[in-house]
Amino acid sequence: QVQLVESGGGLVQPGGSLRLSCAASGSIFSLYVTGWYRRAPGKQRELVASITSGGRSNYADSVKGRFTISRDAAKNTVYLQMNNLKPDDTAVYYCNVNGVLVSGSSFTDVWGQGTQVTVSS
């Protein structure tokens, strides 16, 4: 019922920047907790960053100071600004959202299809 469209992934050089977008569609009243996860080959899924409806954000230690998560409530869109990218950031990035529909029903752990980020020279 809720669909996420991710964009912004691609191939970048070390030290470069990339901005990921996750747009939620459907009869959404509001988003509560949203976040970005990533999974690299041979690695477990990792929480990269999350943000609450109140704007409080949390980051994995590996990306703190380099990544910034933000949200545009009017557009039901969450962003991940990634600066000073490293080869270890190479992974498939997934958006995860939780919120409430116009009907009043809640939804949890809705995942995007993933977008590939490759950091290589």
Side-chain angles (χ1 to χ4, degrees), residues 67-101:
F67 291 9
T68 302
I69 188 171
S70 62
R71 184 169 66 182
D72 186 334
K75 296 182 178 180
N76 288 325
T77 301
V78 62
Y79 305 93
L80 184 67
Q81 178 66 46
M82 304 182 292
N83 298 324
N84 192 23
L85 284 162
K86 304 176 180 180
D88 286 346
D89 294 320
T90 297
V92 178
Y93 285 70
Y94 299 89
C95 182
N96 176 278
V97 303
N98 306 268
V100 181
L101 300 175

PDB file of all heavy atoms in Angstrom, residues 67-101:
ATOM      1  N   PHE A  67      27.896  11.835   6.848  1.00  0.00           N
ATOM      2  CA  PHE A  67      26.545  11.693   6.300  1.00  0.00           C
ATOM      3  C   PHE A  67      25.566  12.555   7.086  1.00  0.00           C
ATOM      4  O   PHE A  67      25.731  12.762   8.297  1.00  0.00           O
ATOM      5  CB  PHE A  67      26.074  10.241   6.367  1.00  0.00           C
ATOM      6  CG  PHE A  67      26.796   9.297   5.445  1.00  0.00           C
ATOM      7  CD1 PHE A  67      27.923   9.686   4.736  1.00  0.00           C
ATOM      8  CD2 PHE A  67      26.332   7.996   5.292  1.00  0.00           C
ATOM      9  CE1 PHE A  67      28.584   8.807   3.886  1.00  0.00           C
ATOM     10  CE2 PHE A  67      26.977   7.108   4.452  1.00  0.00           C
ATOM     11  CZ  PHE A  67      28.104   7.511   3.748  1.00  0.00           C
ATOM     12  N   THR A  68      24.531  13.017   6.407  1.00  0.00           N
ATOM     13  CA  THR A  68      23.478  13.794   7.042  1.00  0.00           C
ATOM     14  C   THR A  68      22.123  13.316   6.541  1.00  0.00           C
ATOM     15  O   THR A  68      21.887  13.276   5.334  1.00  0.00           O
ATOM     16  CB  THR A  68      23.619  15.294   6.755  1.00  0.00           C
ATOM     17  OG1 THR A  68      24.900  15.758   7.205  1.00  0.00           O
ATOM     18  CG2 THR A  68      22.526  16.072   7.477  1.00  0.00           C
ATOM     19  N   ILE A  69      21.246  12.957   7.464  1.00  0.00           N
ATOM     20  CA  ILE A  69      19.896  12.545   7.103  1.00  0.00           C
ATOM     21  C   ILE A  69      18.941  13.704   7.333  1.00  0.00           C
ATOM     22  O   ILE A  69      19.086  14.464   8.294  1.00  0.00           O
ATOM     23  CB  ILE A  69      19.455  11.297   7.905  1.00  0.00           C
ATOM     24  CG1 ILE A  69      18.117  10.760   7.381  1.00  0.00           C
ATOM     25  CG2 ILE A  69      19.368  11.605   9.397  1.00  0.00           C
ATOM     26  CD1 ILE A  69      17.725   9.412   7.987  1.00  0.00           C
ATOM     27  N   SER A  70      17.979  13.856   6.455  1.00  0.00           N
ATOM     28  CA  SER A  70      16.986  14.912   6.588  1.00  0.00           C
ATOM     29  C   SER A  70      15.666  14.428   6.005  1.00  0.00           C
ATOM     30  O   SER A  70      15.618  13.411   5.312  1.00  0.00           O
ATOM     31  CB  SER A  70      17.445  16.197   5.889  1.00  0.00           C
ATOM     32  OG  SER A  70      17.623  15.981   4.501  1.00  0.00           O
ATOM     33  N   ARG A  71      14.606  15.170   6.290  1.00  0.00           N
ATOM     34  CA  ARG A  71      13.288  14.764   5.812  1.00  0.00           C
ATOM     35  C   ARG A  71      12.445  15.975   5.461  1.00  0.00           C
ATOM     36  O   ARG A  71      12.450  16.987   6.170  1.00  0.00           O
ATOM     37  CB  ARG A  71      12.579  13.909   6.873  1.00  0.00           C
ATOM     38  CG  ARG A  71      11.233  13.360   6.431  1.00  0.00           C
ATOM     39  CD  ARG A  71      10.717  12.325   7.394  1.00  0.00           C
ATOM     40  NE  ARG A  71      10.405  12.883   8.703  1.00  0.00           N
ATOM     41  CZ  ARG A  71       9.974  12.159   9.728  1.00  0.00           C
ATOM     42  NH1 ARG A  71       9.840  10.840   9.598  1.00  0.00           N
ATOM     43  NH2 ARG A  71       9.706  12.748  10.883  1.00  0.00           N
ATOM     44  N   ASP A  72      11.728  15.865   4.359  1.00  0.00           N
ATOM     45  CA  ASP A  72      10.772  16.873   3.937  1.00  0.00           C
ATOM     46  C   ASP A  72       9.392  16.283   4.173  1.00  0.00           C
ATOM     47  O   ASP A  72       8.910  15.472   3.378  1.00  0.00           O
ATOM     48  CB  ASP A  72      10.972  17.235   2.467  1.00  0.00           C
ATOM     49  CG  ASP A  72      10.090  18.384   2.023  1.00  0.00           C
ATOM     50  OD1 ASP A  72       9.023  18.608   2.611  1.00  0.00           O
ATOM     51  OD2 ASP A  72      10.481  19.080   1.059  1.00  0.00           O
ATOM     52  N   ALA A  73       8.747  16.663   5.266  1.00  0.00           N
ATOM     53  CA  ALA A  73       7.466  16.080   5.635  1.00  0.00           C
ATOM     54  C   ALA A  73       6.390  16.345   4.596  1.00  0.00           C
ATOM     55  O   ALA A  73       5.534  15.492   4.340  1.00  0.00           O
ATOM     56  CB  ALA A  73       7.032  16.616   7.000  1.00  0.00           C
ATOM     57  N   ALA A  74       6.403  17.526   3.988  1.00  0.00           N
ATOM     58  CA  ALA A  74       5.389  17.874   3.002  1.00  0.00           C
ATOM     59  C   ALA A  74       5.459  16.973   1.778  1.00  0.00           C
ATOM     60  O   ALA A  74       4.445  16.720   1.124  1.00  0.00           O
ATOM     61  CB  ALA A  74       5.526  19.336   2.597  1.00  0.00           C
ATOM     62  N   LYS A  75       6.652  16.493   1.448  1.00  0.00           N
ATOM     63  CA  LYS A  75       6.843  15.640   0.279  1.00  0.00           C
ATOM     64  C   LYS A  75       6.951  14.162   0.632  1.00  0.00           C
ATOM     65  O   LYS A  75       7.125  13.332  -0.259  1.00  0.00           O
ATOM     66  CB  LYS A  75       8.095  16.065  -0.485  1.00  0.00           C
ATOM     67  CG  LYS A  75       8.028  17.459  -1.068  1.00  0.00           C
ATOM     68  CD  LYS A  75       9.300  17.778  -1.839  1.00  0.00           C
ATOM     69  CE  LYS A  75       9.237  19.156  -2.470  1.00  0.00           C
ATOM     70  NZ  LYS A  75      10.474  19.471  -3.226  1.00  0.00           N
ATOM     71  N   ASN A  76       6.851  13.835   1.923  1.00  0.00           N
ATOM     72  CA  ASN A  76       7.027  12.455   2.384  1.00  0.00           C
ATOM     73  C   ASN A  76       8.307  11.854   1.823  1.00  0.00           C
ATOM     74  O   ASN A  76       8.324  10.718   1.343  1.00  0.00           O
ATOM     75  CB  ASN A  76       5.813  11.596   1.998  1.00  0.00           C
ATOM     76  CG  ASN A  76       4.581  11.930   2.810  1.00  0.00           C
ATOM     77  OD1 ASN A  76       4.668  12.254   3.990  1.00  0.00           O
ATOM     78  ND2 ASN A  76       3.414  11.846   2.176  1.00  0.00           N
ATOM     79  N   THR A  77       9.362  12.622   1.896  1.00  0.00           N
ATOM     80  CA  THR A  77      10.640  12.222   1.327  1.00  0.00           C
ATOM     81  C   THR A  77      11.750  12.355   2.362  1.00  0.00           C
ATOM     82  O   THR A  77      11.804  13.346   3.091  1.00  0.00           O
ATOM     83  CB  THR A  77      10.979  13.071   0.093  1.00  0.00           C
ATOM     84  OG1 THR A  77       9.946  12.928  -0.886  1.00  0.00           O
ATOM     85  CG2 THR A  77      12.304  12.636  -0.514  1.00  0.00           C
ATOM     86  N   VAL A  78      12.618  11.366   2.402  1.00  0.00           N
ATOM     87  CA  VAL A  78      13.774  11.396   3.285  1.00  0.00           C
ATOM     88  C   VAL A  78      15.031  11.372   2.427  1.00  0.00           C
ATOM     89  O   VAL A  78      15.067  10.720   1.378  1.00  0.00           O
ATOM     90  CB  VAL A  78      13.751  10.216   4.286  1.00  0.00           C
ATOM     91  CG1 VAL A  78      13.814   8.883   3.556  1.00  0.00           C
ATOM     92  CG2 VAL A  78      14.892  10.344   5.283  1.00  0.00           C
ATOM     93  N   TYR A  79      16.045  12.088   2.863  1.00  0.00           N
ATOM     94  CA  TYR A  79      17.276  12.223   2.102  1.00  0.00           C
ATOM     95  C   TYR A  79      18.467  11.744   2.923  1.00  0.00           C
ATOM     96  O   TYR A  79      18.454  11.753   4.153  1.00  0.00           O
ATOM     97  CB  TYR A  79      17.516  13.676   1.697  1.00  0.00           C
ATOM     98  CG  TYR A  79      16.377  14.316   0.949  1.00  0.00           C
ATOM     99  CD1 TYR A  79      15.394  15.033   1.628  1.00  0.00           C
ATOM    100  CD2 TYR A  79      16.284  14.211  -0.436  1.00  0.00           C
ATOM    101  CE1 TYR A  79      14.350  15.626   0.946  1.00  0.00           C
ATOM    102  CE2 TYR A  79      15.242  14.801  -1.127  1.00  0.00           C
ATOM    103  CZ  TYR A  79      14.275  15.512  -0.432  1.00  0.00           C
ATOM    104  OH  TYR A  79      13.243  16.098  -1.122  1.00  0.00           O
ATOM    105  N   LEU A  80      19.502  11.356   2.222  1.00  0.00           N
ATOM    106  CA  LEU A  80      20.765  11.026   2.854  1.00  0.00           C
ATOM    107  C   LEU A  80      21.875  11.686   2.055  1.00  0.00           C
ATOM    108  O   LEU A  80      22.182  11.260   0.941  1.00  0.00           O
ATOM    109  CB  LEU A  80      20.989   9.511   2.916  1.00  0.00           C
ATOM    110  CG  LEU A  80      22.259   9.068   3.645  1.00  0.00           C
ATOM    111  CD1 LEU A  80      22.160   9.410   5.137  1.00  0.00           C
ATOM    112  CD2 LEU A  80      22.514   7.575   3.466  1.00  0.00           C
ATOM    113  N   GLN A  81      22.448  12.733   2.619  1.00  0.00           N
ATOM    114  CA  GLN A  81      23.570  13.411   2.002  1.00  0.00           C
ATOM    115  C   GLN A  81      24.851  12.731   2.453  1.00  0.00           C
ATOM    116  O   GLN A  81      25.135  12.670   3.648  1.00  0.00           O
ATOM    117  CB  GLN A  81      23.590  14.893   2.395  1.00  0.00           C
ATOM    118  CG  GLN A  81      24.768  15.679   1.835  1.00  0.00           C
ATOM    119  CD  GLN A  81      24.722  15.802   0.322  1.00  0.00           C
ATOM    120  OE1 GLN A  81      23.679  16.108  -0.246  1.00  0.00           O
ATOM    121  NE2 GLN A  81      25.852  15.553  -0.327  1.00  0.00           N
ATOM    122  N   MET A  82      25.625  12.224   1.508  1.00  0.00           N
ATOM    123  CA  MET A  82      26.835  11.484   1.803  1.00  0.00           C
ATOM    124  C   MET A  82      28.036  12.254   1.260  1.00  0.00           C
ATOM    125  O   MET A  82      28.148  12.460   0.058  1.00  0.00           O
ATOM    126  CB  MET A  82      26.781  10.082   1.196  1.00  0.00           C
ATOM    127  CG  MET A  82      25.575   9.267   1.637  1.00  0.00           C
ATOM    128  SD  MET A  82      25.563   7.587   0.954  1.00  0.00           S
ATOM    129  CE  MET A  82      25.297   7.959  -0.775  1.00  0.00           C
ATOM    130  N   ASN A  83      28.908  12.665   2.164  1.00  0.00           N
ATOM    131  CA  ASN A  83      30.107  13.400   1.791  1.00  0.00           C
ATOM    132  C   ASN A  83      31.350  12.606   2.154  1.00  0.00           C
ATOM    133  O   ASN A  83      31.312  11.714   2.999  1.00  0.00           O
ATOM    134  CB  ASN A  83      30.147  14.761   2.498  1.00  0.00           C
ATOM    135  CG  ASN A  83      29.000  15.663   2.118  1.00  0.00           C
ATOM    136  OD1 ASN A  83      28.552  15.674   0.972  1.00  0.00           O
ATOM    137  ND2 ASN A  83      28.522  16.448   3.085  1.00  0.00           N
ATOM    138  N   ASN A  84      32.459  12.957   1.517  1.00  0.00           N
ATOM    139  CA  ASN A  84      33.735  12.286   1.776  1.00  0.00           C
ATOM    140  C   ASN A  84      33.580  10.773   1.732  1.00  0.00           C
ATOM    141  O   ASN A  84      33.986  10.055   2.648  1.00  0.00           O
ATOM    142  CB  ASN A  84      34.300  12.729   3.127  1.00  0.00           C
ATOM    143  CG  ASN A  84      35.738  12.311   3.326  1.00  0.00           C
ATOM    144  OD1 ASN A  84      36.473  12.077   2.367  1.00  0.00           O
ATOM    145  ND2 ASN A  84      36.152  12.199   4.583  1.00  0.00           N
ATOM    146  N   LEU A  85      33.013  10.287   0.664  1.00  0.00           N
ATOM    147  CA  LEU A  85      32.731   8.863   0.530  1.00  0.00           C
ATOM    148  C   LEU A  85      34.008   8.036   0.469  1.00  0.00           C
ATOM    149  O   LEU A  85      35.015   8.452  -0.100  1.00  0.00           O
ATOM    150  CB  LEU A  85      31.885   8.608  -0.710  1.00  0.00           C
ATOM    151  CG  LEU A  85      30.408   8.992  -0.563  1.00  0.00           C
ATOM    152  CD1 LEU A  85      29.747   9.137  -1.923  1.00  0.00           C
ATOM    153  CD2 LEU A  85      29.678   7.947   0.273  1.00  0.00           C
ATOM    154  N   LYS A  86      33.932   6.857   1.060  1.00  0.00           N
ATOM    155  CA  LYS A  86      35.047   5.924   1.116  1.00  0.00           C
ATOM    156  C   LYS A  86      34.674   4.626   0.413  1.00  0.00           C
ATOM    157  O   LYS A  86      33.490   4.307   0.293  1.00  0.00           O
ATOM    158  CB  LYS A  86      35.418   5.622   2.569  1.00  0.00           C
ATOM    159  CG  LYS A  86      35.746   6.847   3.412  1.00  0.00           C
ATOM    160  CD  LYS A  86      35.999   6.453   4.857  1.00  0.00           C
ATOM    161  CE  LYS A  86      36.326   7.660   5.709  1.00  0.00           C
ATOM    162  NZ  LYS A  86      36.568   7.273   7.128  1.00  0.00           N
ATOM    163  N   PRO A  87      35.661   3.855  -0.041  1.00  0.00           N
ATOM    164  CA  PRO A  87      35.343   2.559  -0.659  1.00  0.00           C
ATOM    165  C   PRO A  87      34.502   1.656   0.243  1.00  0.00           C
ATOM    166  O   PRO A  87      33.679   0.886  -0.260  1.00  0.00           O
ATOM    167  CB  PRO A  87      36.726   1.958  -0.931  1.00  0.00           C
ATOM    168  CG  PRO A  87      37.598   3.146  -1.157  1.00  0.00           C
ATOM    169  CD  PRO A  87      37.092   4.181  -0.178  1.00  0.00           C
ATOM    170  N   ASP A  88      34.702   1.749   1.553  1.00  0.00           N
ATOM    171  CA  ASP A  88      33.930   0.929   2.483  1.00  0.00           C
ATOM    172  C   ASP A  88      32.457   1.306   2.530  1.00  0.00           C
ATOM    173  O   ASP A  88      31.650   0.575   3.095  1.00  0.00           O
ATOM    174  CB  ASP A  88      34.518   1.026   3.897  1.00  0.00           C
ATOM    175  CG  ASP A  88      35.812   0.251   4.063  1.00  0.00           C
ATOM    176  OD1 ASP A  88      36.132  -0.571   3.186  1.00  0.00           O
ATOM    177  OD2 ASP A  88      36.510   0.461   5.075  1.00  0.00           O
ATOM    178  N   ASP A  89      32.109   2.444   1.944  1.00  0.00           N
ATOM    179  CA  ASP A  89      30.707   2.842   1.874  1.00  0.00           C
ATOM    180  C   ASP A  89      29.972   2.128   0.750  1.00  0.00           C
ATOM    181  O   ASP A  89      28.749   2.254   0.637  1.00  0.00           O
ATOM    182  CB  ASP A  89      30.584   4.358   1.675  1.00  0.00           C
ATOM    183  CG  ASP A  89      31.099   5.146   2.866  1.00  0.00           C
ATOM    184  OD1 ASP A  89      30.848   4.732   4.012  1.00  0.00           O
ATOM    185  OD2 ASP A  89      31.747   6.195   2.647  1.00  0.00           O
ATOM    186  N   THR A  90      30.692   1.403  -0.089  1.00  0.00           N
ATOM    187  CA  THR A  90      30.077   0.677  -1.191  1.00  0.00           C
ATOM    188  C   THR A  90      29.089  -0.351  -0.662  1.00  0.00           C
ATOM    189  O   THR A  90      29.444  -1.224   0.130  1.00  0.00           O
ATOM    190  CB  THR A  90      31.138  -0.015  -2.048  1.00  0.00           C
ATOM    191  OG1 THR A  90      31.997   0.968  -2.642  1.00  0.00           O
ATOM    192  CG2 THR A  90      30.487  -0.836  -3.148  1.00  0.00           C
ATOM    193  N   ALA A  91      27.843  -0.246  -1.095  1.00  0.00           N
ATOM    194  CA  ALA A  91      26.791  -1.133  -0.616  1.00  0.00           C
ATOM    195  C   ALA A  91      25.498  -0.804  -1.343  1.00  0.00           C
ATOM    196  O   ALA A  91      25.415   0.186  -2.072  1.00  0.00           O
ATOM    197  CB  ALA A  91      26.601  -0.982   0.893  1.00  0.00           C
ATOM    198  N   VAL A  92      24.505  -1.638  -1.127  1.00  0.00           N
ATOM    199  CA  VAL A  92      23.152  -1.322  -1.552  1.00  0.00           C
ATOM    200  C   VAL A  92      22.470  -0.623  -0.382  1.00  0.00           C
ATOM    201  O   VAL A  92      22.448  -1.150   0.731  1.00  0.00           O
ATOM    202  CB  VAL A  92      22.361  -2.573  -1.960  1.00  0.00           C
ATOM    203  CG1 VAL A  92      20.933  -2.194  -2.342  1.00  0.00           C
ATOM    204  CG2 VAL A  92      23.051  -3.283  -3.118  1.00  0.00           C
ATOM    205  N   TYR A  93      21.938   0.538  -0.636  1.00  0.00           N
ATOM    206  CA  TYR A  93      21.305   1.336   0.401  1.00  0.00           C
ATOM    207  C   TYR A  93      19.792   1.211   0.308  1.00  0.00           C
ATOM    208  O   TYR A  93      19.205   1.326  -0.773  1.00  0.00           O
ATOM    209  CB  TYR A  93      21.716   2.801   0.276  1.00  0.00           C
ATOM    210  CG  TYR A  93      23.126   3.064   0.752  1.00  0.00           C
ATOM    211  CD1 TYR A  93      24.222   2.602   0.027  1.00  0.00           C
ATOM    212  CD2 TYR A  93      23.371   3.759   1.935  1.00  0.00           C
ATOM    213  CE1 TYR A  93      25.513   2.813   0.468  1.00  0.00           C
ATOM    214  CE2 TYR A  93      24.660   3.980   2.374  1.00  0.00           C
ATOM    215  CZ  TYR A  93      25.729   3.511   1.644  1.00  0.00           C
ATOM    216  OH  TYR A  93      27.022   3.731   2.082  1.00  0.00           O
ATOM    217  N   TYR A  94      19.156   0.983   1.454  1.00  0.00           N
ATOM    218  CA  TYR A  94      17.719   0.784   1.529  1.00  0.00           C
ATOM    219  C   TYR A  94      17.081   1.813   2.448  1.00  0.00           C
ATOM    220  O   TYR A  94      17.589   2.091   3.532  1.00  0.00           O
ATOM    221  CB  TYR A  94      17.378  -0.610   2.062  1.00  0.00           C
ATOM    222  CG  TYR A  94      17.890  -1.754   1.220  1.00  0.00           C
ATOM    223  CD1 TYR A  94      19.152  -2.298   1.439  1.00  0.00           C
ATOM    224  CD2 TYR A  94      17.104  -2.302   0.210  1.00  0.00           C
ATOM    225  CE1 TYR A  94      19.629  -3.346   0.681  1.00  0.00           C
ATOM    226  CE2 TYR A  94      17.564  -3.355  -0.553  1.00  0.00           C
ATOM    227  CZ  TYR A  94      18.831  -3.877  -0.315  1.00  0.00           C
ATOM    228  OH  TYR A  94      19.296  -4.925  -1.070  1.00  0.00           O
ATOM    229  N   CYS A  95      15.955   2.324   2.024  1.00  0.00           N
ATOM    230  CA  CYS A  95      15.166   3.223   2.847  1.00  0.00           C
ATOM    231  C   CYS A  95      14.121   2.416   3.612  1.00  0.00           C
ATOM    232  O   CYS A  95      13.549   1.460   3.080  1.00  0.00           O
ATOM    233  CB  CYS A  95      14.490   4.271   1.969  1.00  0.00           C
ATOM    234  SG  CYS A  95      13.511   5.489   2.867  1.00  0.00           S
ATOM    235  N   ASN A  96      13.890   2.785   4.841  1.00  0.00           N
ATOM    236  CA  ASN A  96      12.891   2.132   5.687  1.00  0.00           C
ATOM    237  C   ASN A  96      12.025   3.206   6.335  1.00  0.00           C
ATOM    238  O   ASN A  96      12.549   4.172   6.883  1.00  0.00           O
ATOM    239  CB  ASN A  96      13.582   1.283   6.757  1.00  0.00           C
ATOM    240  CG  ASN A  96      12.606   0.660   7.735  1.00  0.00           C
ATOM    241  OD1 ASN A  96      12.176   1.302   8.689  1.00  0.00           O
ATOM    242  ND2 ASN A  96      12.268  -0.598   7.499  1.00  0.00           N
ATOM    243  N   VAL A  97      10.706   3.025   6.259  1.00  0.00           N
ATOM    244  CA  VAL A  97       9.810   4.039   6.811  1.00  0.00           C
ATOM    245  C   VAL A  97       8.743   3.417   7.689  1.00  0.00           C
ATOM    246  O   VAL A  97       8.354   2.257   7.517  1.00  0.00           O
ATOM    247  CB  VAL A  97       9.143   4.889   5.706  1.00  0.00           C
ATOM    248  CG1 VAL A  97      10.185   5.548   4.819  1.00  0.00           C
ATOM    249  CG2 VAL A  97       8.194   4.033   4.868  1.00  0.00           C
ATOM    250  N   ASN A  98       8.271   4.206   8.621  1.00  0.00           N
ATOM    251  CA  ASN A  98       7.177   3.861   9.519  1.00  0.00           C
ATOM    252  C   ASN A  98       6.274   5.078   9.619  1.00  0.00           C
ATOM    253  O   ASN A  98       6.757   6.207   9.644  1.00  0.00           O
ATOM    254  CB  ASN A  98       7.699   3.491  10.910  1.00  0.00           C
ATOM    255  CG  ASN A  98       8.750   2.406  10.873  1.00  0.00           C
ATOM    256  OD1 ASN A  98       8.433   1.221  10.982  1.00  0.00           O
ATOM    257  ND2 ASN A  98      10.014   2.801  10.719  1.00  0.00           N
ATOM    258  N   GLY A  99       4.972   4.842   9.679  1.00  0.00           N
ATOM    259  CA  GLY A  99       4.084   5.985   9.767  1.00  0.00           C
ATOM    260  C   GLY A  99       2.628   5.599   9.893  1.00  0.00           C
ATOM    261  O   GLY A  99       2.289   4.485  10.295  1.00  0.00           O
ATOM    262  N   VAL A 100       1.770   6.547   9.533  1.00  0.00           N
ATOM    263  CA  VAL A 100       0.328   6.387   9.665  1.00  0.00           C
ATOM    264  C   VAL A 100      -0.346   6.756   8.347  1.00  0.00           C
ATOM    265  O   VAL A 100      -0.006   7.767   7.730  1.00  0.00           O
ATOM    266  CB  VAL A 100      -0.222   7.267  10.801  1.00  0.00           C
ATOM    267  CG1 VAL A 100      -1.722   7.079  10.945  1.00  0.00           C
ATOM    268  CG2 VAL A 100       0.478   6.955  12.116  1.00  0.00           C
ATOM    269  N   LEU A 101      -1.305   5.950   7.925  1.00  0.00           N
ATOM    270  CA  LEU A 101      -2.085   6.227   6.737  1.00  0.00           C
ATOM    271  C   LEU A 101      -3.212   7.206   7.051  1.00  0.00           C
ATOM    272  O   LEU A 101      -3.550   7.429   8.214  1.00  0.00           O
ATOM    273  CB  LEU A 101      -2.673   4.937   6.162  1.00  0.00           C
ATOM    274  CG  LEU A 101      -1.682   3.854   5.738  1.00  0.00           C
ATOM    275  CD1 LEU A 101      -2.434   2.595   5.316  1.00  0.00           C
ATOM    276  CD2 LEU A 101      -0.798   4.349   4.605  1.00  0.00           C
TER     277      LEU A 101
END
